[in-house]
Amino acid sequence: MTRILLVEDDPGIRTALGRGLGEQGHAVTSVSTGMAALEACLSSEPEMVLLDLGLPDVPGLQVLGMMRAVSRVPVLVITAQDDDRTLVEALDSGADDYVVKPFGLEHVSARIRAVLRRTSVDADAGHDLVLGGLAIRPRSRTATLDGRPLDLSRREFDLLLALASRPGEVVTKRELLAEVWQQPYGGGDRTVDVHLSWLRRKLGETASSPCYLHTVRGVGVRFEVPPRAAATP
Ligand code: CA
């Protein structure tokens, strides 16, 4: 069973698709506007979103952008327009896949399964991370460095996990604000900087002499396994 948020203003499609997916054992919440979709995305924490691009209040692409600022939930876009530009824009804005109307229930189900399979690989929450001398255990919310337990605050732990989950990738402060602080819109760069410096101190490194956490000036932070640690068995 997957908790699915269905965003579709066409009552016929909404009812049929909602019923069909429900019969397949999914728990479906249906809404018909972009604003209701954003609310539901925050309140019901769906595991999958089916998002129609043509909505009466806010354009679906904009809804997608706002969703992406607060959540990494897999999004399957539903569109009546099969023009390449709209689809490319949707994928670039963070959609995981799309279906073009009209479609059958079996087709949508297959796409949902495929998206969930793909996204569960990297969203494997609770999976232990071992990167060089650093071990992070999300389930127990503990971390060790070279075998020594790290005494991290809740934010510091979330920050470390957010960065270590995608080694080698530059993560922007805005992304960190959205993920760790759930503040996608506010300024707050300073908040990130302060917590980063505390985290660095606990990892025994500094911004000017980094080991795991590398500042990319004007962009964000990149987690890297130091070569020495990587070589250690
Ligand atoms: Ca529509």
Side-chain angles (χ1 to χ4, degrees):
M1 188 206 74
T2 304
R3 287 193 309 278
I4 297 178
L5 172 62
L6 170 60
V7 190
E8 169 63 77
D9 62 318
D10 182 315
I13 298 178
R14 192 173 63 240
T15 308
L17 194 51
R19 188 184 300 140
L21 293 171
E23 280 166 4
Q24 294 187 338
H26 300 300
V28 184
T29 305
S30 302
V31 296
S32 55
T33 65
M35 289 318 289
L38 291 170
E39 273 175 39
C41 194
L42 292 172
S43 63
S44 67
E45 295 188 353
E47 293 161 291
M48 174 92 212
V49 176
L50 304 192
L51 176 65
D52 178 26
L53 288 185
L55 294 170
D57 58 341
V58 187
L61 278 178
Q62 213 173 311
V63 175
L64 177 59
M66 291 191 264
M67 248 176 212
R68 272 292 164 262
V70 293
S71 165
R72 299 173 82 181
V73 63
V75 176
L76 180 63
V77 157
I78 302 173
T79 174
Q81 307 123 307
D82 63 349
D83 69 290
D84 277 357
R85 224 186 49 201
T86 307
L87 295 178
V88 167
E89 222 177 314
L91 294 170
D92 280 348
S93 307
D96 293 275
D97 203 352
Y98 62 87
V99 285
V100 178
K101 292 177 190 173
F103 48 76
L105 179 63
E106 287 313 314
H107 182 112
V108 180
S109 301
R111 291 292 177 109
I112 291 174
R113 283 195 300 276
V115 167
L116 288 174
R117 249 193 330 266
R118 273 206 309 275
T119 51
S120 70
V121 175
D122 53 29
D124 206 354
H127 190 77
D128 289 359
L129 295 173
V130 179
L131 298 143
L134 195 60
I136 306 172
R137 296 173 191 86
R139 278 200 204 90
S140 58
R141 297 184 61 81
T142 55
T144 55
L145 178 62
D146 301 325
R148 280 181 303 107
L150 289 169
D151 181 21
L152 303 177
S153 72
R154 185 167 69 91
R155 295 289 195 209
E156 288 161 1
F157 182 85
D158 289 342
L159 187 56
L160 180 60
L161 182 59
L163 292 166
S165 300
R166 37 199 143 153
E169 204 179 301
V170 182
V171 187
T172 65
K173 287 181 186 172
R174 194 183 157 148
E175 287 174 301
L176 290 171
L177 275 171
E179 270 181 48
V180 178
W181 282 268
Q182 280 85 45
Q183 280 177 14
Y185 307 113
D189 270 24
R190 188 80 194 110
T191 308
V192 178
D193 288 338
V194 168
H195 282 83
L196 260 180
S197 80
W198 289 339
L199 180 56
R200 280 191 165 117
R201 196 176 309 161
K202 291 183 180 175
L203 294 175
E205 59 179 85
T206 61
S208 54
S209 176
C211 187
Y212 288 93
L213 307 179
H214 298 255
T215 295
V216 181
R217 201 176 290 274
V219 188
V221 190
R222 187 181 62 236
F223 181 99
E224 262 182 32
V225 179
R228 182 181 48 82
T232 310

